[in-house]
């Protein structure tokens, strides 16, 4: 093994605990066990899910749908199916975890696995398998020498690999092989308009807003006719006031230290009660775990909207617009 490789292995295990002090999300134990039985890669197919931690920069990969769902609930972004792997083959991909910084590493190389274990990494078993014969779907591996966490990236996408190399990542070749292509996840609801193109509110003669707490929807109306529908989140435990109100003001953003969250693009309709985007943290970053609740009661009484929907209301909804909440 080269001197450079040995130095990098020592770096993996010596990363300081201080890097883990920031906000982190836990990853479940692998649960695959340590079996290394060889199989042909024709025994079935499984989707490999790719997730991203916006706080640490780590990409995470798993075949376990329950693990994926729990990480999404904890605030990880689901990026879709990274590739399709064989259910079994003669070439296991090992999964390891660095408890000092909360980072994962994946490798076909048993020697690399063993060296990382000696340096303090935890071996979590076989994560998935590489194709035995199929070479149509190579997973490229890149290394970021400047990162403390999220040091490696694995992708089928040659354009993604090349972009990272131009940004200073190091090309480490092919990590393993899949047996099928990936598929990007749909854009999350909180990042997109609820109903496509927005109508021009300047042309609406009898503009009014209806909020249905039961349906978690906001209806933009021209008189009695609905012209646009938005997915919303009202208050938990019936904390959103019911009644008739009017738009009274607006602002670009706010932060409430007592609640530990704020939001962007607020439109006021009664006291401290607002329409606004999904929540942000103290640093102005959207809180993904809260954003994923859109469509369900989740707020302290305000009406949460997707980021584009909230921005549209902030820019276009006139003061004095009547609002009916029921």
């Amino acid at each position: 093994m080269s001197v450079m490789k040995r130095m990098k292995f020592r770096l993996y295990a010596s990363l300081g605990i201080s890097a883990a002090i920031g906000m982190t999300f836990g990853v479940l134990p692998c649960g695959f066990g340590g079996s290394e039985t060889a199989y042909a890669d024709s025994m079935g197919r499984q989707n490999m899910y790719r997730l991203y931690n916006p706080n640490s920069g780590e990409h995470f990969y798993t075949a376990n749908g329950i693990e994926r769902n729990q990480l999404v609930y904890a605030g990880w972004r689901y990026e879709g199916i990274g590739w399709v792997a064989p259910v079994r083959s003669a070439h296991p991909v090992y999964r390891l975890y660095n408890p000092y910084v909360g980072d994962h590493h994946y490798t076909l190389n048993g020697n690399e696995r063993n060296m990382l274990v000696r340096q303090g990494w935890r071996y979590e078993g076989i994560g998935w398998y590489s194709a035995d014969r199929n070479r149509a779907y190579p997973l490229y591996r890149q290394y970021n020498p400047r990162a403390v966490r999220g040091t490696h990236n694995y992708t089928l996408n040659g354009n993604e690999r090349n972009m990272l190399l131009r940004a200073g990542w190091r090309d480490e070749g092919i990590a393993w092989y899949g047996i099928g292509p990936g598929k990007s996840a749909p854009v999350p609801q909180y990042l997109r308009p609820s109903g496509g193109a927005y109508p021009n509110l300047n042309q609406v003669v009898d503009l009014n807003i209806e909020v249905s707490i039961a349906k978690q929807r906001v209806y933009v109306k021209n008189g009695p006719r609905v012209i646009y529908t938005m997915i919303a989140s009202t208050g938990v435990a019936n904390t959103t006031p019911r009644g008739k109100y009017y738009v009274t003001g607006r602002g670009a953003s706010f932060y409430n230290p007592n609640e530990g969250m704020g939001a962007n693009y607020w439109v006021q309709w009664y006291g401290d009660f607002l329409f606004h985007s999904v929540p942000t943290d103290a640093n102005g970053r959207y809180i993904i775990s809260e954003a994923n609740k859109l469509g369900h009661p989740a707020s302290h009484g305000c009406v949460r909207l997707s980021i584009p929907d909230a921005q549209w209301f902030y820019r276009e909804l006139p003061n004095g617009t009547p609002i009916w909440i029921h």
Side-chain angles (χ1 to χ4, degrees):
M1 183 171 291
S2 69
V3 173
M4 181 62 72
K5 285 286 186 181
R6 289 196 298 270
M7 289 175 63
K8 192 163 75 176
F9 288 151
R10 285 196 287 270
L11 174 63
Y12 290 164
S14 62
L15 295 171
I17 295 176
S18 61
I21 293 177
M23 183 177 182
T24 59
F25 303 128
V27 175
L28 301 178
C30 183
F32 288 97
S35 173
E36 298 178 14
T37 304
Y39 297 87
D41 65 10
S42 60
M43 295 186 64
R45 302 159 63 90
Q46 61 182 6
N47 293 331
M48 294 302 308
Y49 306 117
R50 170 168 157 158
L51 301 102
Y52 175 70
N53 185 331
N55 296 303
S56 70
E58 178 188 3
H59 277 97
F60 181 74
Y61 314 86
T62 181
N64 190 318
I66 295 175
E67 183 172 39
R68 175 201 60 191
N69 295 342
Q70 291 194 357
L71 290 179
V72 169
Y73 185 78
W76 290 63
R77 294 177 187 166
Y78 175 53
E79 295 188 336
I81 298 169
W83 71 97
V84 178
V87 172
R88 292 288 188 275
S89 78
H91 296 92
V93 177
Y94 308 115
R95 170 171 151 172
L96 300 103
Y97 175 69
N98 186 331
Y100 301 106
V101 296
D103 202 15
H104 279 81
H105 186 67
Y106 315 91
T107 181
L108 271 174
N109 191 317
N111 291 328
E112 183 177 24
R113 175 199 61 188
N114 295 340
M115 180 168 287
L116 290 177
V117 169
R118 288 194 296 269
Q119 297 291 343
W121 288 65
R122 296 175 186 166
Y123 175 50
E124 294 190 332
I126 295 171
W128 55 86
Y129 291 83
S130 177
D132 286 330
R133 297 176 296 274
N134 192 328
R135 294 296 180 263
Y137 302 98
L139 271 292
Y140 305 111
R141 170 171 151 171
Q142 305 87 47
Y143 170 67
N144 186 344
R146 297 184 296 274
V148 174
R149 299 174 61 194
T151 54
H152 281 86
N153 185 66
Y154 308 84
T155 181
L156 273 177
N157 191 320
N159 292 328
E160 180 181 4
R161 174 198 59 190
N162 295 338
M163 178 188 69
L164 292 177
L165 296 184
R166 288 193 297 269
W169 291 60
R170 297 174 185 168
D171 185 7
E172 295 194 333
I174 295 173
W176 56 81
Y177 292 91
I179 60 172
K183 182 179 180 180
S184 297
V187 177
Q189 181 61 57
Y190 69 88
L191 289 176
R192 54 189 169 93
S194 291
Y198 297 118
N200 185 346
L201 298 185
N202 292 326
Q203 299 177 355
V204 179
V205 176
D206 187 12
L207 179 63
N208 65 97
I209 306 299
E210 178 183 349
V211 179
S212 171
I213 293 176
K215 295 181 179 179
Q216 296 293 289
R217 294 293 187 271
V218 173
Y219 303 105
V220 180
K221 302 171 71 176
N222 186 358
R225 183 171 65 89
V226 175
I227 60 174
Y228 199 85
T229 301
M230 297 186 290
I231 299 172
S233 286
T234 61
V236 296
N238 289 315
T239 50
T240 299
R242 290 164 169 80
K244 295 184 178 181
Y245 307 96
Y246 296 89
V247 174
T248 56
R250 69 200 62 232
S253 64
F254 72 92
Y255 180 73
N256 186 335
N258 294 326
E259 296 178 356
M261 61 181 67
N264 294 324
Y265 311 120
W266 59 266
V267 172
Q268 182 184 43
W269 45 268
Y270 174 60
D272 292 333
F273 295 96
L274 318 166
F275 294 110
H276 60 66
S277 73
V278 293
T280 56
D281 62 19
N283 296 312
R285 299 175 300 192
Y286 289 107
I287 304 172
I288 309 304
S289 58
E290 290 293 322
N292 288 331
K293 298 176 184 178
L294 197 64
H296 305 276
S299 77
H300 296 88
C302 291
V303 180
R304 299 177 181 177
L305 303 171
S306 77
I307 298 167
D309 288 352
Q311 187 177 42
W312 177 53
F313 258 24
Y314 166 71
R315 291 178 174 174
E316 304 294 336
L317 191 64
N319 282 356
T321 301
I323 300 168
W324 176 40
I325 301 177
H326 62 91

